[in-house]
Amino acid sequence: MTSSTPRIAIIGAGIAGMRAAKALLKCGADAEAVIFGDEAHRTYNRPGLTKKRYEASDSAKAALAQELAVAGVDDHGLTWRLGTRVEKVDLRKKVLRLSDGEIHAYDSLVIATGVRPRISLHAGGQCDRHSHRSLRGLDDAHYVHERLQKSSSVTIVGAGFVACEMATLAKEYGCDVVMLETRRVGPFQSILGKTVALTLKQWIVQNGVSFLTGEAAQKEMCKQADHGDLDKRERNISRSPADGEKSRSLLIEAIGSVPNTEWLEGNSLDLSDGVCVDEHMRVVDADGVFAAGDIARYPDPWQRGKFTRMEFWKNAINTGDIAGKGAAAHLGHDIDISRIAYFPHMATEMFGLRIQIAGSPAAADSTEIVCGDLNQPDRGVIVQYARNGRPIGACYLDTGAHLNSTYISLLKTLKQRQS
């Protein structure tokens, strides 16, 4: 760069990118923070896309954007380049090639491009029976909410966080809901195990959803679809329902995600699962480059020798803060560089049942019911997860706060044992 003011390019306008930019400026860095986003919107609360109903109106999209807005997006120290996709980066020359043909030079880079939904349908976003959609951004959410308000039925493929929240939302809109899970017996099986997954499946069924698994689910899958990883972004572009779509019922695909790393190819980076970074969010073998949010794969602070990549809001906030401080230090500012060390804790809710997950239950080899009964999750049940006899995670199901003090106490003990 020939300019006297360093330029920090932040690729991704989600919460991780914005937090990185804010952390950089908070350190007193005399730098231009430029945030690139391929959506037309500044940072918003992405988890809120599936949390509640929104009334139909002529200004529904604007109302949705306003309600999910995140504080700090109007900071005058930030420069936004929205609706601008970064097509390629040359880390050696420190230049970006943008979708409008512009070449943008930078001094330091923060990668926060996150993930996109995994898509299974081969062509056109629709089959003979369904209009296929996924839900990742504001435009997706506006389309889906609009369709749910007008549809009598919806099919949801998958049984993860987005799928379960969408099933709850669709029932609130008055839709008949069918969930299809071809690989597992119920929700969150890969995280919480088969026994808890069966409990969650039964809860969903009790709340009026038809939940099909295995061969029964496979028979209901669309003929034109397979479960490969098709990465074409244009297949997931949302639009208002056309006349031809109104005769087809809505099918929402929520079968996982794919890290947005294609624009980084050709730079000798480890892109096997997101972007590999160290505990300070520094991209391995790339000077002055940092990564944050869903795309960052970092050393797991709770499993020595393992790497992890987390896709939830608090992770994006924490890793964004660390990446921003790291970028400031790279510019020569004398600050303490943070390292990733937080205790994983996430929560969701479906049909009034709050599900809280802490630690690393997916790595467990045994489980124990601490208190409660899985046959009555509405009254509260706590499951502890262990590996080689050592507690490493916990799950709490409840419709209220019947066992809240017990769960908090368990988390404190778990954190102490892990530290």
Side-chain angles (χ1 to χ4, degrees):
M1 289 287 297
T2 57
S3 173
S4 59
T5 302
R7 181 184 288 179
I8 311 301
I10 300 167
I11 319 304
I15 188 63
M18 193 194 84
R19 290 295 293 236
K22 300 280 281 186
L24 172 72
L25 298 179
K26 190 175 181 179
C27 290
D30 183 18
E32 180 187 7
V34 183
I35 303 177
F36 293 88
D38 55 8
E39 286 189 77
H41 313 285
R42 296 188 183 187
T43 309
Y44 55 88
N45 180 5
R46 197 178 298 275
L49 296 174
T50 57
K51 300 297 186 187
K52 59 173 286 187
R53 290 177 55 182
Y54 294 93
E55 297 300 324
S57 69
D58 294 337
S59 58
K61 185 180 290 188
L64 182 62
Q66 182 176 1
E67 181 153 345
L68 297 178
V70 172
V73 295
D74 295 325
D75 191 316
H76 295 302
L78 304 179
T79 299
W80 297 84
R81 294 288 302 273
L82 301 175
T84 304
R85 188 170 62 253
V86 176
E87 301 284 1
K88 209 72 178 172
V89 61
D90 187 324
L91 297 182
R92 184 179 61 83
K93 295 181 179 179
K94 295 189 175 183
V95 294
L96 307 171
R97 191 180 79 223
L98 309 182
S99 54
D100 59 7
E102 179 186 338
I103 301 299
H104 180 92
Y106 63 84
D107 295 287
S108 190
L109 179 69
V110 177
I111 299 165
T113 42
V115 298
R116 64 185 179 278
R118 189 181 299 276
I119 305 299
S120 68
L121 194 68
H122 272 300
Q126 60 186 23
C127 66
D128 291 340
R129 293 185 296 159
H130 302 115
S131 295
H132 287 241
R133 288 293 181 271
S134 59
L135 195 153
R136 176 63 183 172
L138 263 174
D139 294 337
D140 300 322
H142 179 254
Y143 174 89
V144 169
H145 281 269
E146 185 180 20
R147 283 297 305 269
L148 290 178
Q149 290 167 354
K150 301 175 181 179
S151 298
S152 59
S153 65
V154 60
T155 301
I156 300 172
V157 182
F161 287 90
V162 172
C164 291
E165 290 177 1
M166 285 307 307
T168 304
L169 189 65
K171 288 298 290 184
E172 289 181 5
Y173 276 119
C175 300
D176 292 328
V177 181
V178 177
M179 294 184 72
L180 306 178
E181 174 52 79
T182 61
R183 299 183 180 182
R184 301 180 177 92
V185 301
F188 314 147
Q189 181 178 341
S190 61
I191 303 174
L192 300 178
K194 185 175 181 179
T195 303
V196 174
L198 286 170
T199 295
L200 295 177
K201 173 188 173 182
Q202 184 59 32
W203 179 261
I204 290 174
V205 171
Q206 289 174 0
N207 280 275
V209 173
S210 178
F211 195 114
L212 304 181
T213 60
E215 188 174 328
Q218 191 65 54
K219 288 180 180 179
E220 295 300 316
M221 297 295 289
C222 301
K223 301 294 186 186
Q224 298 94 325
D226 70 14
H227 290 289
D229 173 17
L230 301 184
D231 293 339
K232 297 292 186 181
R233 294 185 184 181
E234 57 267 29
R235 294 176 187 164
N236 194 40
I237 295 176
S238 300
R239 60 186 184 274
S240 298
D243 290 339
E245 291 182 279
K246 293 177 182 178
S247 61
R248 299 180 177 89
S249 65
L250 179 64
L251 183 146
I252 301 172
E253 293 191 292
I255 55 175
S257 58
V258 182
N260 292 316
T261 59
E262 290 77 10
W263 64 283
L264 293 162
E265 292 174 355
N267 288 285
S268 301
L269 299 180
D270 180 356
L271 304 176
S272 56
D273 179 22
V275 180
C276 187
V277 298
D278 67 10
E279 60 190 356
H280 304 292
M281 299 298 120
R282 297 177 298 206
V283 175
V284 176
D285 297 326
D287 182 53
V289 182
F290 305 82
D294 297 353
I295 202 170
R297 176 165 51 94
Y298 51 79
D300 192 330
W302 303 105
Q303 295 188 81
R304 187 171 299 174
K306 302 288 187 180
F307 277 71
T308 188
R309 188 175 62 79
M310 297 284 190
E311 297 182 16
F312 60 94
W313 188 252
K314 190 173 186 297
N315 173 73
I317 290 173
N318 288 340
T319 56
D321 289 344
I322 295 171
K325 291 178 181 178
H330 181 258
L331 295 178
H333 290 263
D334 185 16
I335 60 172
D336 292 331
I337 305 176
S338 305
R339 67 177 63 194
I340 192 73
Y342 72 93
F343 184 70
H345 189 210
M346 64 196 83
T348 186
E349 187 172 310
M350 60 183 188
F351 301 105
L353 183 70
R354 184 167 174 78
I355 304 164
Q356 299 184 66
I357 304 170
S360 304
D365 56 23
S366 65
T367 61
E368 175 190 358
I369 306 297
V370 175
C371 52
D373 184 349
L374 281 174
N375 293 318
Q376 298 177 314
D378 55 318
R379 299 184 181 181
V381 57
I382 298 175
V383 184
Q384 181 171 271
Y385 294 79
R387 184 173 183 82
N388 298 325
R390 179 189 181 194
I392 61 170
C395 171
Y396 175 29
L397 313 179
D398 206 338
T399 56
H402 301 90
L403 305 175
N404 198 51
S405 59
T406 303
Y407 182 63
I408 291 174
S409 178
L410 177 62
L411 291 191
K412 289 180 180 178
T413 302
L414 193 58
K415 291 178 184 179
Q416 291 171 355
R417 289 176 177 175
Q418 294 293 324
S419 59

